[in-house]
């Protein structure tokens, strides 16, 4: 997701890293509200794989799913310049430098006829190449063609032959005698020679007879009709330069195509590359700048060390969470503009004041609906439909202990807008959530996982809603294995999966934890690593507070 039009900041609206339905729906609906209010730079994203329930809701109501972004680790795309105007490889060095001056930049990318990156032109590169051409010890030739020479000189074209054909150019400024000129010309291949002279007809004629590539008449000098006819027969191009011979000779060197004078050793990077990965390449680049390309090698922009010192071109809005441990990895590197949530306050801190909306309702979607109404923006029916589904999903179809009158009223309001029966939609949502199918234990554990902290202790609780816990109990061993992997990876106190029976409105907890914690767990034990959570269905309002108490008991021992 790259804003190709300009450097205006994008604003990513995101839920937690393992998003449930309420989280994904809230992000999508809030981004739509922002767009309707004219803020087109707001984009909904998601950090994890969708649950079957969430997939069902978005597919049913034909709403685009937020784009998948695996993490917010600083990447090239968040710092690069996008409004970079490259030059074509067949642009003269003179005109390419003029473009650099006009844009007030020190580097400019060079692309081929297909728009693919080929080189990076910078002052160091072309100064190095020009010095090689000027060095009398090496007599280095440079590539150019008649069209480029004419364009660079703003020359009057008397006649041109094969104007696009590149050749290795040697310029001969005739300031000595005719005899000396003849000796000089014998040292070079005539087809590569460009003769710069004034009104010396003998030089003009000898050059034509020798079959040189071109004759450039300096200071606006004219050529006689007889010599023009002879030049035409010999296919010798004739140009009239408005400059004196010395100035003309200098400008001819600047007619070399930009592709010949640019640095071809600087390799491009991808927009998805991490800043850590490209730092060494930046240091090795003479200009401390790198081109950025897509998978087809088409230029997207540039990135420099200076860009890395600026603010990234993305800001963040968090929905359905306010704890960095639950956010996408790397989100702390960006400015958080807003938080819209209905959970407990975590450890979030920001550098600047932000909009922070945290209300004790059953679903973030309920808050999003209120923001539409406050802004006096009519809800599009597809958005109203997924918001209703989001509320029902996060409140166990209005049966969760977290439910409030505002949630109920909002659900009724959305039901009237969409003409959708609440109970019927609730049954469909529950059925969709039960589609475990071929999902692995890892997918089940990570589907809706949240990480919490109590002092220095970390733990995770995942939650899944089913109409019967029996199927997951049969898979206890593989689920326990995945929970163990997560616990060791995070060095957590414990990792748990809360399996909520939406029919009986009760839950079980499958847990892998350190032995010292498992000894203080006060819930009824159903089996090894399995506890019965009688009449507990809310992770945030019921289970987390109870576990917090038990962690505190552990800390007191």
């Amino acid at each position: 997701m790259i804003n190709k039009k300009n450097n205006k900041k994008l604003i990513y609206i995101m839920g937690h890293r393992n998003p449930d339905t309420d989280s994904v729906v809230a992000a999508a609906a809030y981004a739509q509200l922002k767009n309707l209010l004219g803020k087109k730079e707001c984009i909904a994203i998601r950090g994890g794989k969708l649950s079957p329930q969430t997939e069902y809701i978005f597919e049913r109501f034909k709403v685009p799913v937020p784009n998948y972004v695996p993490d917010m680790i600083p990447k090239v795309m968040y710092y690069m310049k996008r409004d970079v105007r490259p030059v074509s490889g067949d642009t003269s060095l003179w005109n390419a430098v003029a473009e650099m001056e006009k844009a007030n930049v020190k580097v400019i990318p060079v692309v081929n006829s297909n728009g693919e990156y080929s080189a990076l032109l910078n002052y160091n590169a072309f100064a190095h190449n020009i010095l090689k051409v000027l060095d009398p010890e090496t007599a280095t030739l440079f590539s150019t063609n008649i069209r480029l020479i004419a364009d660079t000189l703003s020359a009057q074209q008397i006649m041109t032959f094969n104007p696009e054909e590149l050749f290795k150019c040697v310029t001969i400024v005739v300031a000595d005698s005719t005899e000396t000129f003849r000796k000089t010309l014998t040292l070079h291949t005539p087809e590569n020679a460009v003769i710069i002279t004034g009104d010396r007809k003998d030089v003009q004629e000898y050059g034509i007879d020798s079959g040189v590539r071109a004759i450039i008449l300096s200071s606006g000098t004219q050529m006689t009709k007889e010599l023009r006819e002879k030049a035409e027969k010999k296919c010798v191009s004739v140009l009239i330069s408005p400059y004196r011979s010395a100035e003309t000779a200098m400008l001819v060197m600047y007619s070399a195509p930009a592709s010949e004078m640019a640095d071809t050793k600087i390799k491009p990077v991808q927009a998805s590359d991490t800043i850590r990965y490209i730092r060494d390449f930046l240091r090795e680049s003479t200009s401390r700048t790198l081109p950025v390309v897509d998978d087809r090698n088409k230029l997207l922009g540039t990135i420099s060390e200076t860009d890395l010192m600026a603010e990234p071109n993305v800001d963040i809005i968090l929905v359905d969470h306010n704890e960095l441990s639950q956010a996408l990895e790397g989100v702390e590197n960006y400015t958080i503009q807003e938080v819209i949530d209905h959970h407990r306050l975590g450890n979030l801190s920001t550098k600047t004041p932000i909009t922070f909306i945290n209300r004790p309702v059953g679903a973030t979607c309920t808050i999003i609906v209120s923001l539409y109404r406050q802004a006096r923006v009519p809800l599009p029916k597809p958005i109203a439909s997924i918001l209703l589904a989001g509320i029902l999903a996060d409140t166990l179809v209005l049966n969760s202990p977290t439910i409030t009158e505002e949630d109920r009223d909002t659900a009724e309001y959305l039901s009237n807008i969409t003409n959708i029966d609440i109970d019927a939609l609730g049954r469909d949502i529950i059925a969709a959530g039960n589609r475990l199918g071929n999902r692995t234990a890892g997918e089940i554990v990570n589907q809706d996982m949240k990480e919490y902290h109590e002092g220095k202790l970390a733990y995770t609780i995942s939650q899944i809603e089913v109409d019967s816990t029996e199927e997951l109990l049969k898979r206890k061993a593989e689920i326990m294995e995945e929970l163990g992997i997560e616990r060791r990876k995070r060095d957590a106190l414990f990792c748990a999966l809360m399996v909520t029976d939406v029919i009986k409105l009760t839950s079980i907890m499958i847990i892998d934890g350190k032995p010292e914690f498992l000894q203080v767990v006060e819930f009824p034990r159903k089996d090894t690593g399995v506890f019965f959570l009688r009449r507990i269905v809310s992770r945030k309002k019921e289970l987390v507070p109870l576990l917090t108490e038990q962690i505190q008991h552990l800390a007191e021992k």
Side-chain angles (χ1 to χ4, degrees):
M1 288 173 295
I2 296 179
N3 186 357
K4 296 181 179 179
K5 293 183 179 180
N6 51 49
N7 277 331
K8 189 173 184 179
K9 275 195 173 188
L10 294 176
I11 300 173
Y12 284 173
I13 303 178
M14 63 180 73
H16 39 85
R17 67 177 68 178
N18 298 301
D20 58 5
T21 297
D22 184 41
S23 180
V24 181
V25 170
Y30 195 45
Q32 178 71 356
L33 173 59
K34 292 286 190 180
N35 294 166
L36 292 171
L37 291 171
K39 297 181 179 180
K40 302 297 184 182
E41 68 274 17
C42 292
I43 299 173
I45 68 169
R46 59 184 172 87
K49 185 176 180 179
L50 296 181
S51 69
Q53 181 189 80
T54 310
E55 283 183 348
Y56 166 76
I57 289 167
F58 276 86
E59 288 176 5
R60 172 170 171 172
F61 297 112
K62 304 295 188 294
V63 176
V65 175
N67 291 311
Y68 172 64
V69 176
D71 58 66
M72 289 301 296
I73 293 171
K75 296 181 177 65
V76 170
M77 68 178 75
Y78 302 139
Y79 293 87
M80 60 184 277
K81 283 189 175 70
R82 304 185 188 95
D83 58 346
V84 175
R85 296 184 61 181
V87 295
S88 174
D90 59 1
T91 301
S92 70
L93 176 60
W94 184 259
N95 287 334
V97 172
E99 285 295 322
M100 292 171 67
E101 292 292 329
K102 182 179 177 182
N104 192 28
V105 295
K106 295 181 180 179
V107 297
I108 194 166
V110 180
V111 297
N112 62 20
S113 58
N114 295 322
E116 298 166 341
Y117 168 77
S118 61
L120 195 66
L121 182 63
N122 57 69
Y123 288 109
N124 289 326
F126 77 71
H128 176 72
N129 287 321
I130 282 291
L131 285 174
K132 286 196 298 183
V133 174
L134 291 172
D135 187 353
E137 298 292 329
T138 60
T140 302
L141 304 182
F142 61 94
S143 294
T144 188
N145 61 35
I146 298 301
R147 176 185 62 78
L148 289 171
I149 294 174
D151 289 347
T152 304
L153 293 172
S154 297
Q156 178 63 56
Q157 300 179 36
I158 302 303
M159 64 186 73
T160 60
F161 300 94
N162 301 320
E164 298 294 334
E165 183 180 75
L166 287 174
F167 64 95
K168 291 293 185 180
C169 177
V170 56
T171 55
I172 302 175
V173 180
V174 183
D176 299 317
S177 66
T178 304
E179 187 60 32
T180 300
F181 161 62
R182 290 178 177 179
K183 290 180 180 179
T184 301
L185 187 57
T186 60
L187 300 175
H188 302 284
T189 303
E191 290 81 5
N192 290 336
V194 173
I195 309 304
I196 301 173
T197 185
D199 57 359
R200 295 180 60 175
K201 295 181 181 178
D202 56 338
V203 171
Q204 295 174 20
E205 185 169 19
Y206 187 81
I208 293 170
D209 290 340
S210 300
V212 297
R213 175 74 62 159
I215 293 178
I216 302 176
L217 305 173
S218 59
S219 302
T221 301
Q222 303 295 313
M223 181 177 279
T224 65
K225 179 180 179 182
E226 292 76 18
L227 288 179
R228 286 201 309 273
E229 290 174 349
K230 182 178 270 193
E232 187 172 9
K233 289 179 181 178
K234 296 286 288 186
C235 295
V236 174
S237 298
V238 179
L239 307 174
I240 298 177
S241 168
Y243 305 103
R244 293 174 298 180
S245 294
E247 295 164 340
T248 298
M250 180 197 70
L251 287 172
V252 169
M253 287 188 293
Y254 278 92
S255 71
S259 58
E260 294 284 329
M261 294 295 180
D263 190 340
T264 57
K265 295 180 181 178
I266 298 178
K267 301 304 178 186
V269 296
Q270 298 273 322
S272 58
D273 287 338
T274 64
I275 298 302
R276 179 181 297 178
Y277 171 75
I278 71 159
R279 281 194 185 276
D280 287 344
F281 301 123
L282 271 175
R283 281 192 289 268
E284 293 167 5
S285 170
T286 306
S287 60
R288 299 296 190 271
T289 301
L290 296 171
V292 184
V293 299
D294 63 14
D295 293 336
R296 298 175 297 166
N297 203 39
K298 294 294 181 71
L299 186 75
L300 296 176
T302 61
I303 186 165
S304 68
E305 286 188 340
T306 303
D307 295 329
L308 297 184
M309 292 186 285
E311 287 289 319
N313 52 36
V314 170
D315 282 351
I316 303 295
I317 294 176
L318 302 179
V319 298
D320 200 37
H321 70 301
N322 68 84
E323 299 188 56
L324 290 181
S325 61
Q326 296 178 14
L328 292 185
E329 182 182 2
V331 76
E332 67 277 3
N333 294 287
Y334 307 88
T335 297
I336 296 175
Q337 288 191 358
E338 302 177 37
V339 174
I340 301 173
D341 192 20
H342 68 132
H343 294 92
R344 72 173 190 174
L345 296 184
N347 56 354
L348 179 68
S349 64
T350 60
K351 296 178 182 178
T352 57
I354 68 170
T355 297
F356 193 103
I357 302 173
N358 190 291
R359 291 167 52 196
V361 293
T364 305
C365 288
T366 298
I367 304 174
I368 301 299
V369 175
S370 71
L371 295 176
Y372 269 88
R373 300 178 78 172
Q374 289 172 22
R376 295 182 173 85
V377 174
L379 274 158
K381 283 192 176 182
I383 297 297
S385 300
I386 63 171
L387 282 167
L388 175 57
I391 293 172
L392 298 182
D394 220 38
T395 63
L396 298 179
V397 194
L398 308 182
N399 286 310
S400 169
T402 62
I403 193 73
T404 66
E405 282 305 311
E406 184 177 354
D407 296 302
R408 297 182 191 279
D409 291 343
T410 302
E412 287 294 339
Y413 173 72
L414 295 172
S415 176
N416 288 331
I417 290 176
T418 59
N419 195 30
I420 294 175
D421 181 77
I422 289 176
D423 291 334
L425 179 59
R427 288 191 296 272
D428 292 342
I429 289 173
I430 291 171
N434 286 323
R435 297 171 187 167
L436 298 179
N438 296 321
R439 299 174 69 208
T440 66
E443 289 173 334
I444 293 170
V445 167
N446 285 281
Q447 173 184 299
D448 182 15
M449 175 186 287
K450 292 185 179 180
E451 184 174 7
Y452 301 90
H453 292 267
E454 290 297 331
K456 296 181 179 180
L457 298 174
Y459 62 96
T460 72
I461 305 175
S462 307
Q463 185 173 19
I464 188 167
E465 295 163 2
V466 296
D467 58 8
S468 172
T469 60
E470 292 305 312
E471 181 180 351
L472 285 177
L473 283 174
K474 291 177 182 177
R475 300 177 63 181
K476 188 194 81 167
E478 56 181 305
I479 289 172
M480 289 280 291
E481 182 180 355
E482 286 296 329
L483 290 170
I485 291 171
E486 285 294 331
R487 183 179 64 80
R488 290 187 293 274
K489 181 173 71 176
R490 300 166 184 268
D491 191 25
L493 181 62
F494 67 87
C495 288
L497 173 65
M498 180 181 181
V499 184
T500 300
D501 188 323
V502 296
I503 304 299
K504 297 179 180 178
L505 295 179
T506 192
S507 304
I508 60 169
M509 179 174 67
I510 305 174
I511 185 170
D512 179 274
K514 294 184 177 180
E516 60 268 28
F517 173 72
L518 295 180
Q519 290 174 4
V520 302
V521 175
E522 298 175 353
F523 301 118
R525 189 184 299 271
K526 187 178 179 70
D527 193 0
T528 303
V530 181
F531 294 87
F532 184 55
L533 307 178
R534 188 184 302 276
R535 300 186 185 282
I536 294 177
V537 294
S538 171
R539 172 172 48 188
K540 70 172 182 177
K541 191 169 183 178
E542 296 174 314
L543 183 57
V544 170
L546 290 171
L547 287 173
T548 299
E549 261 184 55
Q550 295 173 21
I551 293 171
Q552 290 171 350
H553 290 164
L554 175 65
E556 291 169 359
K557 289 190 174 184

